Amino acid sequence: MVTSNPFPTVEKCPSVGREKQTVVADMDGTLLIGRSSFPYFALVAFEVSGVLRLLFLLLASPLAGLLYYFVSESAGIQVLIFATFVGMKVSDIESVARAVLPKFYSSDLHPESWRVFTSCGKRCVLTANPRIMVEAFLKDLLGVDMVLGTEIGTYKGRATGFVCKPGVLVGKNKADALKKAFGETKPDVGLGDRHTDIPFMAMCK
């Protein structure tokens, strides 16, 4: 879905004869139509901790936006992760990820990306989103084989709000995660929607 060279748009990608192939897709803006994960962070904040947590997230969102657009994509996402998850019970996050988020994610699937994604026999999603937030939806509803996402720190069953090394999976971190997971094997198809997806897409056939 990257519209600039060297990659064609997903509409031009054939979906026939890919049963034995592997696809690796970004999530926001690629597998999903929406490019922003903020609505889903807001859902988690409200469902787990109520109005006060949602208000905290809303107050933090201007800072996240400034960092995202003027410093780095990673820095902006880290602010959203901290404001959403700090102090939450891991079990509560997992419950919302399984019971609430899937119906909203399902309604936002990108039809063309979904066409190509489901045509491949092995499916991997590589996302900046916290893995704990998206894995249940991706594996249980979409039949994804592997989810590589940002890992959040935990302590005594609660989220610290910080992210684990190597940090938020954007840019080079995405490519490194793909390399670690697949080794010398090149996935057949890479789907992304922004320039920071180019490093991992370039590793695909």
Side-chain angles (χ1 to χ4, degrees), residues 7-123:
F7 306 110
T9 61
V10 70
E11 289 81 7
K12 296 179 181 178
C13 184
S15 54
V16 177
R18 296 193 180 276
E19 294 81 6
K20 295 182 180 181
Q21 294 187 354
T22 298
V23 60
V24 179
D26 172 51
M27 191 166 176
D28 295 320
T30 303
L31 204 53
L32 302 180
I33 296 171
R35 299 193 75 206
S36 173
S37 56
F38 180 81
Y40 304 105
F41 281 111
L43 269 171
V44 173
F46 179 74
E47 291 289 338
V48 175
S49 299
V51 174
L52 288 179
R53 175 66 65 124
L54 178 58
L55 180 60
F56 179 50
L57 176 61
L58 290 171
L59 290 173
S61 61
L63 173 61
L66 285 171
L67 291 173
Y68 187 97
Y69 290 107
F70 296 106
V71 178
S72 73
E73 189 176 342
S74 175
I77 294 171
Q78 285 184 62
V79 170
L80 292 181
I81 289 174
F82 182 85
T84 302
F85 294 109
V86 62
M88 282 185 179
K89 289 183 179 180
V90 172
S91 59
D92 289 341
I93 300 169
E94 290 173 338
S95 293
V96 170
R98 193 172 299 279
V100 178
L101 291 180
K103 63 182 178 181
F104 293 96
Y105 281 136
S106 296
S107 66
D108 196 32
L109 285 172
H110 191 294
E112 283 297 308
S113 297
W114 179 239
R115 172 183 62 81
V116 175
F117 190 75
T118 54
S119 70
C120 295
K122 186 175 181 181
R123 304 162 192 166

Side-chain angles (χ1 to χ4, degrees), residues 83-193:
T84 302
F85 294 109
V86 62
M88 282 185 179
K89 289 183 179 180
V90 172
S91 59
D92 289 341
I93 300 169
E94 290 173 338
S95 293
V96 170
R98 193 172 299 279
V100 178
L101 291 180
K103 63 182 178 181
F104 293 96
Y105 281 136
S106 296
S107 66
D108 196 32
L109 285 172
H110 191 294
E112 283 297 308
S113 297
W114 179 239
R115 172 183 62 81
V116 175
F117 190 75
T118 54
S119 70
C120 295
K122 186 175 181 181
R123 304 162 192 166
C124 172
V125 171
L126 186 58
T127 177
N129 285 309
R131 181 184 55 79
I132 192 174
M133 194 168 91
V134 301
E135 189 169 47
F137 163 68
L138 293 172
K139 286 191 171 182
D140 297 346
L141 270 72
L142 302 193
V144 173
D145 301 288
M146 183 186 301
V147 179
L148 303 175
T150 300
E151 297 292 341
I152 63 172
T154 60
Y155 180 73
K156 292 185 176 180
R158 290 185 179 268
T160 64
F162 300 105
V163 300
C164 301
K165 290 183 178 181
V168 178
L169 288 196
V170 295
K172 183 178 181 296
N173 284 348
K174 272 187 177 178
D176 290 345
L178 187 64
K179 175 72 172 177
K180 185 177 180 180
F182 285 83
E184 297 302 317
T185 303
K186 284 190 172 186
D188 299 280
V189 181
L191 299 174
D193 71 297

